[in-house]
Amino acid sequence: MVTAVQSLPRPPEPVRIAVAPRPPALRHLGPNWYAAVMGTAVVASAGAALPLDVPRTVLTGFWALSAVLLAAVLAGRTGHWARHRDQARAHLLDPAVAPFYGCLSMALLAVGTGTLTVGGDVVGEGPAVGAAFALFGAGTLVGLVGAVAVPYLMVVRHRVEAGSASPVWLLPVVAPMVSAASGPLLVPYLPPGQWREAALFACYAMFGLSLLATLLILPMVFARLVHHGPLPLATTPALFLVLGPLGQSTTAVNKLADAAPGVLDAPYAAGMGLFAVVYGVPVMGFALLWLALAAAMVVRATRHGMPFTLGWWAFTFPVGTCVTGAQGLADRTGLVAYQWSATALYGCLVVAWAVAGTLTLRGLLRGELLRAPR
């Protein structure tokens, strides 16, 4: 008798799920991360410029946080260049990324200004002045190099298509304007005579350099909007970058006029004070016009699903420069309207910082902001 032996069914093989390797954390850490440093530092320096009863501990906290962020981003960017040089070179050759190298200069300068105006409460006046000089020197050197190198790459190496002008193009050329606004704060600490006079005129030269370069770019940006329509949703916040050279140049002329007495002869010092009003009043008027236009475009983009990106930090530093510009005019003219404007803009700055900071921290913890851009 033959019995049939039935073979037992084989157990199913385990299902293997392929998991994509996680990209290195620093590979896509671009220069746009310096914008978070700028936006944090300006909350401290702009708050110190206002005649409000803002607690110094709060302003000191923002300055300390900006210094920590600067150190962290500098370390991350150094690791990026050391380990991912191919990606770093690709950033330089990308016309959408290369202009953000101007943010390095402005981050150094913004933290330096905060160190001088707020940080002295913590580290003392002597160390604060020394650190401010070091950050100003490094930031100015990087800014001047970037103001030449990035436009050079745009002409020689980048493939820029017609109708692709962006407010981001302003970033490298506005960095010297930040130096022009920061430098006058250091003039009193220089030896009297030639040193102070040379520093004052050097700041005026950087003011002119940045202003004329801005006047070349702004018409292209507006022409792009008129002929090709709104910016893509993700890049709409970049419209606020136009406020940067407007507010910063107004701040610069007022700071230069404040530093002129005792450095220049009376006619020139008085002329600088007059120029600060004649220039600053119409420029701040245009800044308010552009602020309304940019805000309307952002509202439109939000209704259409504008996603969060690091570009949201454009809502902070440029608005902060308008705060210091309006307050400078308030101090010089005595008009309460400018003081109200500066206070209202500072409120908007704090809200924008809170929103951008919260969403940046969330995106960083989730790893979304360290992935390759789409």
Side-chain angles (χ1 to χ4, degrees):
M1 176 175 154
V2 180
T3 59
V5 180
Q6 294 181 349
S7 61
L8 296 176
R10 299 177 62 182
E13 295 184 359
V15 179
R16 293 182 175 87
I17 302 176
V19 178
R22 188 174 182 178
L26 299 180
R27 180 164 180 80
H28 301 289
L29 186 74
N32 53 345
W33 277 91
Y34 287 113
V37 181
M38 298 159 52
T40 303
V42 79
V43 176
S45 56
L50 293 175
L52 300 177
D53 191 17
V54 181
R56 294 287 292 186
T57 53
V58 174
L59 300 180
T60 303
F62 275 103
W63 164 77
L65 178 59
S66 70
V68 171
L69 289 175
L70 177 62
V73 179
L74 281 173
R77 289 289 298 159
T78 301
H80 173 82
W81 270 96
R83 300 181 181 181
H84 308 286
R85 293 185 180 180
D86 60 326
Q87 187 64 35
R89 294 191 187 97
H91 284 167
L92 280 174
L93 298 179
D94 187 344
V97 180
F100 283 99
Y101 273 86
C103 292
L104 167 59
S105 168
M106 291 185 281
L108 293 169
L109 293 166
V111 174
T113 299
T115 302
L116 190 62
T117 57
V118 178
D121 297 345
V122 178
V123 301
E125 182 180 4
V129 172
F133 267 107
L135 291 169
F136 174 80
T140 299
L141 178 61
V142 171
L144 292 174
V145 171
V148 176
V150 175
Y152 174 83
L153 289 174
M154 292 178 67
V155 173
V156 176
R157 299 296 301 273
H158 295 170
R159 297 183 61 182
V160 180
E161 299 179 358
S164 62
S166 169
V168 172
W169 291 5
L170 292 167
L171 290 173
V173 300
V174 79
M177 187 67 79
V178 182
S179 294
S182 303
L185 300 176
L186 297 171
V187 168
Y189 299 98
L190 293 172
Q194 288 288 321
W195 280 94
R196 293 185 181 182
E197 188 173 349
L200 201 63
F201 280 118
C203 290
Y204 256 109
M206 289 187 287
F207 165 83
L209 179 160
S210 180
L211 176 63
L212 295 177
T214 299
L215 293 178
L216 290 176
I217 296 174
L218 277 183
M220 292 188 286
V221 173
F222 189 69
R224 182 255 178 266
L225 295 174
V226 172
H227 294 292
H228 299 275
L231 296 178
L233 295 180
T235 60
T236 300
L239 290 171
F240 274 71
L241 295 177
V242 175
L243 298 175
L246 302 176
Q248 198 65 271
S249 62
T250 304
T251 302
V253 292
N254 280 283
K255 295 298 183 184
L256 288 165
D258 291 340
V263 178
L264 303 178
D265 294 336
Y268 295 103
M272 288 185 174
L274 178 62
F275 177 69
V277 176
V278 172
Y279 173 86
V281 171
V283 170
M284 282 304 299
F286 179 69
L288 294 177
L289 168 66
W290 191 271
L291 175 61
L293 175 63
M297 298 296 290
V298 167
V299 170
R300 173 191 175 277
T302 302
R303 290 177 176 176
H304 287 78
M306 180 179 70
F308 171 73
T309 66
L310 286 176
W312 281 37
W313 284 98
F315 298 138
T316 57
F317 187 79
V319 175
T321 66
C322 292
V323 172
T324 54
Q327 185 58 46
L329 289 175
D331 295 336
R332 192 159 301 280
T333 63
L335 288 177
V336 179
Y338 280 118
Q339 185 174 329
W340 291 346
S341 300
T343 303
L345 288 170
Y346 188 71
C348 295
L349 167 63
V350 172
V351 172
W353 180 89
V355 173
T358 301
L359 295 178
T360 299
L361 182 60
R362 186 186 69 177
L364 189 61
L365 294 176
R366 294 179 177 179
E368 298 170 352
L369 297 179
L370 297 177
R371 299 171 185 169
R374 296 179 181 179

